[in-house]
Amino acid sequence: MSDSLLRGNRAGPAWQRLTEHPDAPRWNHRAGDGLRPQDRQQLLGWQACFQTGRSVRAHGQVPASVLASLHLQWPPRLPRPNELAAQWHTLPTSSREDLALRPESLVPDGANLAEMLVYRTAGTTGHALLVPHHAAAAACYLPMLEFAAARHGAHWQVGPEVVAAVLLGAQQQTVTYPCTLSLWGDAGFAKVNLACDDWPQPDSPLRYLEALQPCLFSGDPISLAKLLELVTTAPGARKLRPKAVVSTAVAMGTSLRRRLEEVLAAPVIDWYSLTETGPLGYRCPLSEDYHVLPHDIHVEVLGPQGELLPAGQRGEVTVSGGRNPYLPLLRYRTGDFGSLDYGPCPCGDPMPRLVDLEGRVPVVLRDHRGQLANPVDLSRVLRDLPLVQHHLHQSTTGAVQLRLRPIAPADFDLSWAVAAVRQVLGPVAVEVAVDETLGQRIGKAPPYTSDWRLDD
Amino acid sequence: MNQALSLAEGLQWLQRMPAAFLAVPQGTGGAAAASETVYVRAVVADLFLALYGMRPTPLWLAAFDRNSSAADSDKLFLQAVLAACHLLWHPQLRLAPPGRAALERMLGEELRGWAGVATGAPTADQERSEELLRRVLRAAGRPLRGESEQEGQDRLQQVDLVERARLIAAATERQQARAREVREALARKAAEEAAAKVTRE
């Protein structure tokens, strides 16, 4: 662990509440927000631009600030902003494949790698990738969360006494840590795992969360479903009162969302975010569409040949710009599909809406006992194998079909994959086959599919 | 007065090169009839005799003998030597030839280096012809008419295939080093957990 990543942690009241509570879990990791003083200064500037920069967008028109930022980050590869605008629609696109196979082609030559962080994508909606990042870019999530929550009527005060947020996991294994967030006045934050044995007592998770009373819960639908189960099966009055819940990773079903909102008495905000870009959209309070969230990312919808599609026509969501100095994206195809609506929205947000967003369909997997299994756990064990791509399908009998594209098929032992799957799902039937064409299509090749439905 | 060559005059002179000089030089193609072959070693030796009154040593001249491997670069080298000899036969250059050592270096080393990166004949197009002319004039220490020495050097750098190859190789090496650096940093930092992030993707 690099000390730089622990930067920002303050042993104040919030830290004490997180770490000294008798029901606190055994943490398996240490982390901080990693911000340097100059980052915090820069973030204040970014925050001001975010507040004022979200405005009406026109189809096919790249915001001048995005052009200027790309030009600055890619010298001398990109021309001046006005020339860049003129050439925009002829520029080649980039994709997850570039990031997987040629990461150096996406990292600017001048970027100082010393401050680089790496996030690994979960691998639940596409093959896992290593994504270069920066602490300041990750901290920009906070103002965006506040903004989206406010759009849903949720507000909170942050400060050193407050536990601002808890990120929930429900996995066999994931990192857990407490930390404080300097951008939120040293408020507390914790990443916890609800589905593990790291708690002092079986009922510790709920007691701990009730003691923290975080303003915000975030998590994928599986971990939020686990929270719902904890809350609704516990005896006594319900004490958890978050201001908002943010559902990430994959789309949340309407019934689960309504139940969570009812039980927690807080809005549940569906969140569209990629590790490569950070938050891209939040669910409109009045519809199922997602408003584009950041002011500094240009979103367009392209056809198979990279052509700009008319507003309202479905195509691949493609993004440019952003604030990550290690990944200033240029027409990056996300692998997700949808259309853009630039018309005025009754909710009052001027930013365009992503409509019928596809690529974030939740996948339900079950272990040999019929318990929900998190695809993140499968990604964790499969990523240790020398694979280019995989596709796992589970039928309602529990049997698994696994197609693999090994890096070196001749050297790959199929029994490795069977063992990895059974490590997570237990002794289920596993049929494995090599498919060297896997992943050779536009967009994300879904790594997991299932015949189960979330209601089953 | 010994007037400097203009670019047009030099290029025209090069265009008037004997047909035999344009053919596959001695020993490298194998298909040319014996009567059409040019013995490059002999051409070089005769040029030195004319310019300096004595032939080079047999050992040095051996560089212009047939190479049994008949590699493309060897063929291009011998073609470049013949074209350079033809240029040096221009009356104005014959009157003020390069120093002997400079000419030996140009014919024996510089053109060998050029042939190592060239993909076409030394007179394949106007740019290659200009490059050869400027190499010869540089060896002679004579700029083209109307050009300063610096202007001549700048222009040669623009058309210099060897310099271009060196720049490309250096850029490629830089890119490869950067690619290694990025990949190593990604692998190293992936082993650490990154800074706290309030939501997952």
Side-chain angles (χ1 to χ4, degrees), chain A residues 5 29 32 101 104 108-109 111 113-114 116 118-119 122 141-142 177 218 220 248-249 273-275, chain B residues 175 178-183 185-201:
Chain A
L5 296 182
H29 206 76
L101 302 178
E104 65 278 3
D109 293 340
L113 303 181
M116 186 173 85
V118 174
Y119 290 115
Y141 286 39
L142 304 184
Y177 56 86
S218 68
D220 62 22
T248 64
S273 184
L274 305 179
T275 309
Chain B
Q175 279 171 0
R178 176 67 174 176
R180 274 196 305 275
E181 191 186 9
V182 169
R183 284 164 183 268
L186 278 171
R188 188 174 63 251
K189 288 168 183 263
E192 304 170 351
E193 181 66 11
K197 202 162 56 165
V198 179
T199 65
R200 54 160 294 208
E201 267 78 23

Side-chain angles (χ1 to χ4, degrees), chain A residues 31-47:
Chain A
D33 63 15
L35 294 178
R36 304 166 296 176
Q38 64 265 41
D39 295 328
R40 282 190 278 277
Q41 207 54 41
Q42 184 193 329
L43 278 162
L44 292 177
W46 183 88
Q47 209 166 341

Side-chain angles (χ1 to χ4, degrees), chain A residues 103-326:
Chain A
E104 65 278 3
S105 69
L106 301 184
V107 178
D109 293 340
N112 172 12
L113 303 181
E115 291 294 326
M116 186 173 85
L117 315 171
V118 174
Y119 290 115
R120 194 189 290 269
T121 64
T124 50
T125 57
H127 193 67
L129 298 170
L130 297 181
V131 179
H133 228 286
H134 191 279
C140 291
Y141 286 39
L142 304 184
M144 287 194 265
L145 280 166
E146 279 182 296
F147 176 86
R151 298 294 306 161
H152 282 259
H155 304 269
W156 57 78
Q157 294 293 319
V158 289
E161 309 279 342
V162 176
V163 172
V166 172
L167 168 53
L168 303 169
Q171 298 163 223
Q172 281 186 354
Q173 197 180 319
T174 187
V175 295
T176 60
Y177 56 86
C179 77
T180 61
L181 303 170
S182 53
L183 199 65
W184 272 355
D186 297 327
F189 165 67
K191 182 169 187 278
V192 302
N193 188 2
L194 299 177
C196 70
D197 300 327
D198 290 340
W199 300 88
Q201 303 291 330
D203 52 356
S204 286
L206 186 59
R207 271 206 307 273
Y208 181 66
L209 296 176
E210 287 174 345
L212 298 183
Q213 285 297 345
C215 305
L216 174 75
F217 281 115
S218 68
D220 62 22
I222 290 178
S223 59
L224 292 172
K226 182 71 180 171
L227 176 70
L228 185 65
E229 181 191 314
L230 290 180
V231 173
T232 53
T233 57
R238 291 170 188 163
K239 297 176 195 158
L240 267 187
R241 285 291 177 264
K243 304 290 187 193
V245 176
V246 168
S247 171
T248 64
V250 290
M252 175 176 273
T254 314
S255 57
L256 177 57
R257 186 205 307 160
R258 287 190 181 140
R259 185 78 179 122
L260 272 167
E261 286 181 331
E262 179 193 333
V263 169
L264 297 176
V268 175
I269 306 161
D270 220 351
W271 192 249
Y272 174 41
S273 184
L274 305 179
T275 309
E276 301 93 302
T277 61
L280 279 177
Y282 73 99
R283 186 177 55 80
C284 172
L286 301 181
S287 72
E288 298 300 313
D289 305 335
Y290 292 79
H291 278 285
V292 172
L293 184 53
H295 68 290
D296 56 359
I297 289 185
H298 174 60
V299 180
E300 53 192 340
V301 170
L302 303 185
Q305 307 305 320
E307 72 278 18
L308 178 68
L309 296 180
Q313 192 167 324
R314 282 181 68 74
E316 190 166 6
V317 177
T318 301
V319 295
S320 300
R323 64 215 74 89
N324 178 354
Y326 299 107

Side-chain angles (χ1 to χ4, degrees), chain A residues 270-387:
Chain A
D270 220 351
W271 192 249
Y272 174 41
S273 184
L274 305 179
T275 309
E276 301 93 302
T277 61
L280 279 177
Y282 73 99
R283 186 177 55 80
C284 172
L286 301 181
S287 72
E288 298 300 313
D289 305 335
Y290 292 79
H291 278 285
V292 172
L293 184 53
H295 68 290
D296 56 359
I297 289 185
H298 174 60
V299 180
E300 53 192 340
V301 170
L302 303 185
Q305 307 305 320
E307 72 278 18
L308 178 68
L309 296 180
Q313 192 167 324
R314 282 181 68 74
E316 190 166 6
V317 177
T318 301
V319 295
S320 300
R323 64 215 74 89
N324 178 354
Y326 299 107
L327 206 58
L329 295 167
L330 187 61
R331 306 193 91 206
Y332 180 80
R333 290 173 170 276
T334 62
D336 298 326
F337 288 77
S339 63
L340 273 169
D341 183 346
Y342 293 87
C345 180
C347 83
D349 189 331
M351 291 288 270
R353 284 165 287 168
L354 281 160
V355 178
D356 293 333
L357 189 60
E358 174 201 314
R360 306 178 64 249
V361 180
V363 177
V364 177
L365 301 173
R366 294 186 184 276
D367 67 14
H368 70 290
R369 296 167 304 176
Q371 299 294 307
L372 280 179
N374 198 325
V376 175
D377 281 318
L378 277 163
S379 293
R380 177 176 48 78
V381 292
L382 289 171
R383 79 180 175 219
D384 290 336
L385 301 179
L387 297 174

Side-chain angles (χ1 to χ4, degrees), chain A residues 394-409:
Chain A
Q394 187 174 41
S395 67
T396 49
T397 64
V400 163
Q401 289 174 313
L402 183 59
R403 287 186 301 137
L404 304 170
R405 184 177 156 202
I407 293 169

Side-chain angles (χ1 to χ4, degrees), chain A residues 4-79:
Chain A
S4 63
L5 296 182
L6 294 174
R7 272 194 303 245
N9 278 339
R10 295 280 185 279
W15 176 264
Q16 282 172 352
R17 290 175 60 203
L18 287 166
T19 56
E20 295 177 9
H21 193 276
D23 284 307
R26 279 190 305 278
W27 308 104
N28 61 22
H29 206 76
R30 295 191 302 157
D33 63 15
L35 294 178
R36 304 166 296 176
Q38 64 265 41
D39 295 328
R40 282 190 278 277
Q41 207 54 41
Q42 184 193 329
L43 278 162
L44 292 177
W46 183 88
Q47 209 166 341
C49 293
F50 172 66
Q51 298 293 347
T52 57
R54 296 184 79 261
S55 54
V56 175
R57 302 290 153 103
H59 175 254
Q61 202 170 322
V62 190
S65 58
V66 171
L67 294 168
S69 165
L70 284 169
H71 169 69
L72 282 175
Q73 289 179 292
W74 281 115
R77 218 185 285 188
L78 291 182

